[in-house]
Amino acid sequence: MTKENPDKDHYWMQLALEQARITAALDEVPVGAVVVQSDQIIAVSGNRTVSEHDPCAHAEVLALREAAKMIENYRLTEATLYVTLEPCMMCAGAILAARVKRLVFAAYDLKTGAVGGCFNWLTDSKHTHKVQVLGGVLEEESAQVLQEFFRSKRS
């Protein structure tokens, strides 16, 4: 786990949270992602599994796809991915495949998280690519967005 610039991390995570809120308004699970490189946004997305009828349309995967197209390279070796929920196994695999330099996430996912919440798959020492990871940035705010969404679904 690493720590870079907390002010920048909070700033970019706020933008990911905005995406999560937009996604909630579209009746999708409110997860937002932002890919940053050289202090510039190169991609932004929210979950689209319901609207795209695609189980792989997680915010992270969509943002990584957009970022790769933007820089015309599938390797995002200088990019930081900000996401409002700890990535699942599928998204962790995409992060490794893209060679993302750094992952910053907000809320831990104790049921399916692959970066410490449930599994430690992304940070397993067997991987040849090492991703710098920082979890818990704006964790409470992100958890609140998720809780409100699921509370409204149950009522």
Side-chain angles (χ1 to χ4, degrees), residues 22-109:
I22 291 167
T23 301
L26 298 172
D27 208 28
E28 298 271 2
V29 174
V31 177
V34 174
V35 181
V36 175
Q37 185 169 295
S38 302
D39 287 329
Q40 299 286 321
I41 292 177
I42 59 171
V44 62
S45 189
N47 272 354
R48 297 288 184 269
T49 55
V50 175
S51 61
E52 293 188 12
H53 311 288
D54 181 355
C56 298
H58 289 198
E60 300 96 308
V61 170
L62 296 176
L64 292 174
R65 285 176 182 163
E66 183 181 326
K69 286 179 185 174
M70 180 71 156
I71 67 165
E72 298 180 336
N73 192 336
Y74 75 97
R75 291 193 173 198
L76 303 170
T77 59
E78 296 303 313
T80 298
L81 171 63
Y82 292 87
V83 63
T84 59
L85 182 64
E86 177 185 357
C88 68
M89 294 286 273
M90 177 186 69
C91 293
I95 290 165
L96 283 174
R99 305 291 195 267
V100 169
K101 180 178 184 176
R102 189 165 177 259
L103 166 68
V104 180
F105 67 90
Y108 284 84
D109 184 344

Side-chain angles (χ1 to χ4, degrees), residues 3 13 24 33 47 64 68 70 72 81 87 94 139 148 154-155:
K3 193 164 191 170
M13 189 61 75
N47 272 354
L64 292 174
M70 180 71 156
E72 298 180 336
L81 171 63
E139 180 176 11
E148 288 172 5
R154 288 188 292 269
S155 56

Side-chain angles (χ1 to χ4, degrees), residues 136-155:
V137 174
L138 300 181
E139 180 176 11
E140 289 180 26
E141 193 171 341
S142 179
Q144 183 178 25
V145 170
L146 285 159
Q147 289 166 357
E148 288 172 5
F149 176 80
F150 288 112
R151 192 176 304 121
S152 73
K153 290 288 181 196
R154 288 188 292 269
S155 56

Side-chain angles (χ1 to χ4, degrees), residues 123-130:
T123 55
D124 190 294
S125 63
K126 294 178 185 96
H127 298 301
T128 55
H129 177 67
K130 306 297 182 223

